[in-house]
Amino acid sequence: MKILKFGGTSVGSVESIKAVLSIVKESYDAGEKPLVVLSAMSGITNLLTKMAEDAAEGKPFAEDLKLMEEKHFEVVKKLIAVKFQNPVLTRLKLLINELEDLLQGVTALKELSNQSKDLIISYGERCSNYLVSKVMEQEIPESEYINASYYIKTDSNFGNAHLNEPLTNQLIQALSQTHADKLLFVTGFIGSNEKGRITTLGRGGSDYTAAIFGSVLNATAIEIWTDVNGMLTADPRIVKKAFSLPLLSYTEAMELSYFGAKVIYPPTMVPAFMKKIPIIIRNTFQPKFSGTVIQFESGKSAYPIKGISSISEVSVINLTGSGMVGKSGFSGRLFTLLAREQINVILITQSSSEHSITFAVNPNDSQKAVELIQNEFELELLANKLSMPVVEGDLSILAIVGENMKRTPGMSGKLFHALGRNGINVRAIAQGSSEFNISVIINKEDLSKALNAVHDAFFAELKKTLHVFNIGTGNIGSTLFSQLNKQHDFLEEQNDIEIKVVGISNSRRMYFNEDGIDLNSWKEELENDGEVADLATFISKMQEMNLPNCVFIDNTASKLPSTYYENIFQSNISIVTCNKIANSGDYSQYRLLHETARKHGVDFFYETNVGAGLPIVRVLKDLMMSGDRLLKIEAILSGTISYIFNNFKGDASFYDVVKKAQELGFTEPDPRDDLGGIDFMRKMLILGRDAGYPIESSDVELGNILPESCLQANSVDEFYAELLKADDYFNNLKREAEEQGKVIRYIGSLENGKVSISLQMVDESHPFYALSGSDNIISFTTERYKERPLVVKGPGAGAEVTAAGVFADLVNVGA
Ligand SMILES: NC(=O)c1ccc[n+]([C@@H]2O[C@H](COP(=O)([O-])OP(=O)(O)OC[C@H]3O[C@@H](n4cnc5c(N)ncnc54)[C@H](O)[C@@H]3O)[C@@H](O)[C@H]2O)c1
Ligand SMILES: N[C@@H](CCO)C(=O)O
Ligand code: NA
């Protein structure tokens, strides 16, 4: 049997509960006889604590209680069939009423004991497990809710109760016999004392519940389902290149968690360790990803260390004294004293002269530690055998961890070389006697740099390999492939960059090859060895493959891919795209995507969204980042319309010129996007947003170049048919311009956050008069470029220049 434990975020919302249900069902259907342990819905434990504390202070709690009720009721209403809802709502309501009575009691007594607090908090797990068991019951009738406080027996240390192992073993054994054919949903975190009063198990309590049940029932595995892809080589918020670890030993997991990685709280796992039951950390939101297995043996690994962890804030206390420090008995007295007062000593180093001891503690404990030392060693201080303790703050700890370190010489050399070369000063060093970890204390301001440098030293290969998943194999996609193919050797030899295209999809077929798809024959491979395309599958397959330096390229014109961008960033994958849809939809989406990419330390590059390969997005970004302020943009950003008005001369018919623009690959897949101004508008929106204005498409004043009949066309064919009939309309426009010695230009402007695009007739004196071919032109007037604006001009559409722009974005990923 297997234990499946889901944390609060996994049962945090209707959507996540659906994911939980399908994971449980899959396991059940596979005959794994799972036992499910659930935490409270995310946010509920904190809310319960707050209500309890508020009640004790006589503050109102009714609104919070209502919030809790609504959060649970919403799940019932969305996930339970109407005819089964009533009993579930009634029982939940009863639980909430009980809770309300308790809170009123606390209000009346103006006092909150630890015992009452545990009881109040227990409602979080009781509600979530009852609720989810009822939702599951619709599909698996054997589902049953179990209140674990009847089975996990503890002492009366409320808030952090200790297990009564023999009794708990008996009770759980008995439960498993009476409920052998049930699918149990067991409340995490709670137990009860010998009088049956509810207790809680302290930090990481639900994991502990899972470990206790797993150990008593001899589970084959304990799966801890959370919201990250297992344990990583380093904190991904700081180290972009961090990747998830397939395998760790218990010891390594302990060491990594001790210094930072908060995925599990190892002390809670001890029951599982004792029985050598593997613990598997998995991601509820990416269930196909295999996660991190934590087991007895460390296993083989390509790298000499498993990971790098850190504590970002520590204080260090230095003790020196010729007659004292280092003498036997001194450190014994010192550390017994600190332990007795519950001060956690994170790391200890001792100089070889043995005249000094340095140890690190949580900054909140440093003052207390100093006072304790002053009291304990008063006589020694008076006699000058010991100097006054000196505290240093603003320090961090970095540790490299791995069991194989012991067998690999030169590990500390490599560590110090990486730190030294990057100018990072090491304040103290400690190697655990087990040699499973080497820790260094450094200045806090160096931590991020140090983590990245050390990660590079231990994990990076010399050559950067980019793993590319590309969707869209039309005009741009196929041109990109032939450019990549041509440049392959040059990039590798001259720039140490290898680009491996490992996944390709168009709207019909998709194909993967982890070793890299041969770009001479991608078409045939896609056709013959590929499968029927499905974007959701393509993306989850990409995430499952979990390759380092992974880039998703969107070379489609479709909206669908943009709905996955957030999820892609969340799995630490960068995106390069020429597709403008994501950036030009709702402003809120634009913000969300940029923030998500930033938060996950990945790149979001879209130079070709504006002016194809011309450096426009980058130029604006550089201006903004260097503190310039945009005053005005004036631009022609439709390559298609530019081409059309530059070639609509003499006898040429407007219709023929448009057809030609499409043939030349300037137009969007649907040319109405170009001629209707939508494509231009998207570009202006993107620039405006990049310049800091929260504009929506409805804010844009969009002038029109087409007669009504063309605007009304329902299909591309109908559009061309109407265009053919509209010759007179365009000839009149042309004549009018020619008579005044002018040319027709479709010009966009952005000033004070207002965007407008309009058809204008301009004469020789206008800077946009002399434009040719499919050229785009943009002039940026800024605080610095005020007298003479910064102008970028050149071909702004076409497959070659666009693919080249995507290519340039690609090689800059991770740079
Ligand atoms: N032509 C240019 O000069 C230029 C310049 C800059 C940007 N762009 C942008 O390039 C993009 C592509 O243009 P194109 O001319 O190559 O288009 P295209 O019609 O030639 O190709 C589009 C490709 O996308 C694929 N596709 C569509 N939906 C898909 C899905 N859901 N999953 C997988 N594949 C899907 C299609 O099968 C096709 O292979 C557009 O977003 C366009 O705005 C074009
Ligand atoms: N269709 C677009 C391509 C460049 O984004 C244009 O004509 O400008
Ligand atoms: Na560009």
Side-chain angles (χ1 to χ4, degrees):
M1 66 143 350
K2 252 190 190 180
I3 310 286
L4 307 179
K5 182 259 162 177
F6 295 89
T9 49
S10 299
V11 287
S13 66
V14 171
E15 281 315 306
S16 62
I17 289 177
K18 278 193 200 159
V20 169
L21 294 173
S22 82
I23 292 163
V24 173
K25 184 153 191 315
E26 193 167 310
S27 170
Y28 185 83
D29 290 345
E32 291 170 339
K33 293 208 97 257
L35 179 143
V36 184
V37 176
L38 302 179
S39 297
M41 291 181 79
S42 65
I44 293 295
T45 305
N46 284 344
L47 195 67
L48 284 161
T49 310
K50 174 170 178 284
M51 284 192 273
E53 284 165 359
D54 283 351
E57 288 177 26
K59 292 189 197 154
F61 53 78
E63 256 177 49
D64 288 337
L65 196 63
K66 188 80 203 150
L67 205 71
M68 170 166 173
E69 178 179 305
E70 277 163 6
K71 199 160 171 175
H72 290 86
F73 278 19
E74 190 201 348
V75 178
V76 178
K77 289 183 177 145
K78 297 231 168 97
L79 295 184
I80 296 189
V82 178
K83 59 180 172 189
F84 300 125
Q85 283 179 8
N86 261 339
V88 182
L89 291 172
T90 309
R91 170 116 182 237
L92 282 172
K93 187 71 193 167
L94 279 175
L95 284 167
I96 303 268
N97 288 347
E98 258 174 54
L99 177 61
E100 187 176 7
D101 289 347
L102 286 171
L103 289 164
Q104 265 157 7
V106 172
T107 309
L109 290 169
K110 298 194 177 53
E111 173 194 276
L112 179 65
S113 65
N114 285 339
Q115 178 175 338
S116 322
K117 198 166 164 180
D118 276 4
L119 178 57
I120 289 171
I121 289 176
S122 75
Y123 282 83
E125 270 71 16
R126 285 156 67 189
C127 289
S128 67
N129 276 271
Y130 169 69
L131 174 58
V132 176
S133 73
K134 284 296 166 187
V135 179
M136 189 87 262
E137 198 182 277
Q138 299 171 104
E139 285 191 63
I140 303 178
E142 292 77 18
S143 305
E144 190 163 322
Y145 161 65
I146 297 291
N147 179 341
S149 68
Y150 295 116
Y151 305 94
I152 292 189
K153 298 306 281 186
T154 69
D155 64 9
S156 298
N157 192 10
F158 293 98
N160 193 11
H162 304 292
L163 192 66
N164 176 337
E165 237 184 274
L167 191 50
T168 302
N169 280 4
Q170 274 177 23
L171 290 167
I172 293 179
Q173 293 284 10
L175 171 75
S176 80
Q177 275 157 22
T178 52
H179 289 66
D181 46 9
K182 297 287 188 188
L183 170 60
L184 302 183
F185 287 81
V186 179
T187 55
F189 191 47
I190 62 174
S192 67
N193 70 5
E194 76 285 356
K195 289 192 192 143
R197 305 275 186 267
I198 285 191
T199 55
T200 59
L201 303 175
R203 192 175 153 197
S206 292
D207 290 348
Y208 192 31
T209 306
I212 295 168
F213 273 86
S215 143
V216 177
L217 300 175
N218 289 319
T220 51
I222 299 173
E223 295 186 352
I224 305 287
W225 289 83
T226 169
D227 58 352
V228 292
N229 276 341
M231 294 186 65
L232 303 186
T233 49
D235 183 343
R237 287 167 306 180
I238 308 179
V239 180
K240 276 187 186 186
K241 296 176 188 163
F243 52 91
S244 56
L245 291 159
L247 192 65
L248 285 175
S249 70
Y250 294 139
T251 321
E252 288 166 339
M254 295 264 209
E255 298 271 347
L256 278 174
S257 311
Y258 183 57
F259 288 116
K262 293 287 181 285
V263 181
I264 53 166
Y265 181 55
T268 59
M269 292 291 134
V270 169
F273 296 174
M274 302 301 282
K275 287 226 172 153
K276 299 192 178 174
I277 301 171
I279 294 157
I280 309 171
I281 313 287
R282 303 195 59 180
N283 187 348
T284 303
F285 306 96
Q286 269 182 49
K288 294 209 177 112
F289 185 72
S290 54
T292 301
V293 178
I294 304 173
Q295 60 173 34
F296 185 70
E297 270 114 23
S298 163
K300 281 219 178 75
S301 154
Y303 303 102
I305 67 170
K306 283 292 175 66
I308 308 164
S309 60
S310 56
I311 302 178
S312 66
E313 189 122 19
V314 297
S315 289
V316 155
I317 301 180
N318 290 303
L319 287 176
T320 51
S322 52
M324 195 48 224
V325 179
K327 287 260 163 63
S328 65
F330 176 81
S331 18
R333 258 169 85 198
L334 172 65
F335 294 116
T336 314
L337 165 74
L338 296 173
R340 192 180 66 220
E341 298 293 328
Q342 309 210 339
I343 292 182
N344 182 26
V345 176
I346 303 170
L347 166 158
I348 305 167
T349 68
Q350 188 151 20
S351 73
S352 53
S353 71
E354 301 206 339
H355 287 163
S356 79
I357 282 190
T358 299
F359 61 93
V361 295
N362 183 316
N364 296 329
D365 289 338
S366 62
Q367 204 40 48
K368 189 171 165 203
V370 168
E371 283 161 17
L372 289 168
I373 292 167
Q374 283 172 350
N375 281 332
E376 172 78 21
F377 298 100
E378 198 180 359
L379 295 177
E380 288 82 355
L381 283 162
L382 276 174
N384 275 333
K385 286 182 170 171
L386 183 70
S387 319
M388 282 294 279
V390 179
V391 183
E392 268 186 275
D394 288 329
L395 298 169
S396 300
I397 295 185
L398 175 154
I400 55 174
V401 171
E403 288 198 29
N404 289 338
M405 258 176 6
K406 199 158 53 178
R407 294 182 281 277
T408 324
M411 289 300 100
S412 55
K414 203 171 182 144
L415 170 65
F416 296 121
H417 179 69
L419 294 170
R421 203 187 42 197
N422 285 284
I424 296 155
N425 190 20
V426 176
R427 311 292 295 274
I429 303 160
Q431 172 153 27
S433 53
S434 59
E435 290 185 50
F436 293 160
N437 106 42
I438 303 175
S439 310
V440 292
I441 296 182
I442 55 177
N443 286 331
K444 191 175 168 205
E445 61 190 32
D446 286 336
L447 181 61
S448 159
K449 185 162 116 184
L451 280 168
N452 279 289
V454 173
H455 197 275
D456 268 350
F458 284 94
F459 294 111
E461 295 170 50
L462 202 55
K463 190 170 65 185
K464 175 164 100 175
T465 300
L466 293 173
H467 292 101
V468 173
F469 291 83
N470 179 95
I471 60 167
T473 62
N475 226 345
I476 310 299
S478 59
T479 309
L480 175 67
F481 291 159
S482 70
Q483 291 181 358
L484 286 174
N485 200 18
K486 248 185 247 152
Q487 293 300 314
H488 183 270
D489 294 347
F490 172 78
L491 275 176
E492 229 177 312
E493 280 154 27
Q494 305 293 316
N495 298 301
D496 277 334
I497 296 181
E498 183 192 20
I499 297 180
K500 272 189 188 173
V501 179
V502 286
I504 295 181
S505 177
N506 57 29
S507 44
R508 288 184 310 105
R509 297 191 76 69
M510 61 183 186
Y511 174 59
F512 303 90
N513 181 349
E514 195 164 329
D515 300 328
I517 297 166
D518 183 352
L519 293 180
N520 289 306
S521 54
W522 65 268
K523 262 189 202 148
E524 293 75 23
E525 286 179 42
L526 181 64
E527 217 43 61
N528 303 332
D529 306 329
E531 51 198 292
V532 174
D534 175 64
L535 190 55
T537 313
F538 185 83
I539 288 165
S540 61
K541 177 92 191 199
M542 165 174 81
Q543 291 166 331
E544 275 164 51
M545 284 165 77
N546 194 33
L547 300 167
N549 296 322
C550 189
V551 189
F552 177 80
I553 304 185
D554 177 2
N555 277 327
T556 76
S558 148
K559 178 167 193 292
L560 187 62
S562 64
T563 60
Y564 292 94
Y565 284 12
E566 186 192 1
N567 180 266
I568 293 173
F569 289 138
Q570 282 167 343
S571 43
N572 293 79
I573 295 173
S574 294
I575 296 181
V576 169
T577 183
C578 63
N579 183 347
K580 300 152 197 129
I581 295 198
N583 275 326
S584 59
D586 289 344
Y587 178 70
S588 57
Q589 160 168 295
Y590 166 91
R591 270 298 290 271
L592 176 73
L593 293 177
H594 282 73
E595 270 165 18
T596 311
R598 194 175 42 78
K599 202 165 102 196
H600 290 265
V602 289
D603 292 315
F604 181 22
F605 289 155
Y606 47 88
E607 178 56 72
T608 50
N609 276 3
V610 184
L614 293 177
I616 294 176
V617 174
R618 196 169 311 153
V619 164
L620 177 59
K621 189 170 163 196
D622 287 347
L623 289 174
M624 303 299 296
M625 288 225 301
S626 61
D628 203 350
R629 204 167 63 82
L630 183 75
L631 301 175
K632 188 166 149 188
I633 284 177
E634 282 178 296
I636 290 182
L637 294 175
S638 171
T640 299
I641 296 176
S642 206
Y643 174 86
I644 291 170
F645 286 128
N646 286 330
N647 289 280
F648 181 42
K649 290 183 193 139
D651 303 336
S653 91
F654 193 81
Y655 172 91
D656 286 338
V657 184
V658 175
K659 276 278 182 196
K660 185 80 187 163
Q662 180 158 30
E663 260 172 53
L664 290 170
F666 298 150
T667 67
E668 292 306 293
D670 182 340
R672 289 175 297 171
D673 284 351
D674 293 298
L675 283 112
I678 307 288
D679 181 73
F680 196 162
M681 180 192 74
R682 287 177 174 150
K683 293 166 178 163
M684 292 300 291
L685 265 185
I686 295 169
L687 291 177
R689 289 169 174 183
D690 281 358
Y693 297 107
I695 32 181
E696 300 287 356
S697 59
S698 54
D699 300 331
V700 177
E701 218 174 278
L702 182 62
N704 165 34
I705 62 175
L706 293 174
E708 196 54 33
S709 58
C710 295
L711 288 172
Q712 297 301 336
N714 283 320
S715 67
V716 176
D717 288 342
E718 200 179 299
F719 166 74
Y720 272 119
E722 287 303 329
L723 204 58
L724 199 53
K725 293 187 223 153
D727 257 358
D728 283 351
Y729 176 90
F730 294 108
N731 286 331
N732 285 340
L733 266 182
K734 179 166 68 178
R735 194 173 321 113
E736 192 188 328
E738 279 168 359
E739 279 167 10
Q740 302 173 42
K742 293 183 175 174
V743 291
I744 306 172
R745 296 285 179 254
Y746 197 39
I747 300 177
S749 88
L750 165 70
E751 204 168 358
N752 299 324
K754 274 236 47 72
V755 176
S756 62
I757 299 170
S758 60
L759 195 67
Q760 299 179 21
M761 295 189 185
V762 303
D763 63 22
E764 268 172 331
S765 66
H766 195 282
F768 293 176
Y769 178 87
L771 214 58
S772 59
S774 64
D775 276 5
N776 280 194
I777 185 165
I778 181 161
S779 86
F780 296 99
T781 310
T782 70
E783 214 55 83
R784 287 184 202 139
Y785 290 93
K786 211 171 194 167
E787 303 309 324
R788 287 189 304 131
L790 176 63
V791 175
V792 181
K793 178 180 160 222
E800 283 295 333
V801 289
T802 306
V806 174
F807 195 158
D809 274 351
L810 179 60
V811 296
N812 277 308
V813 167

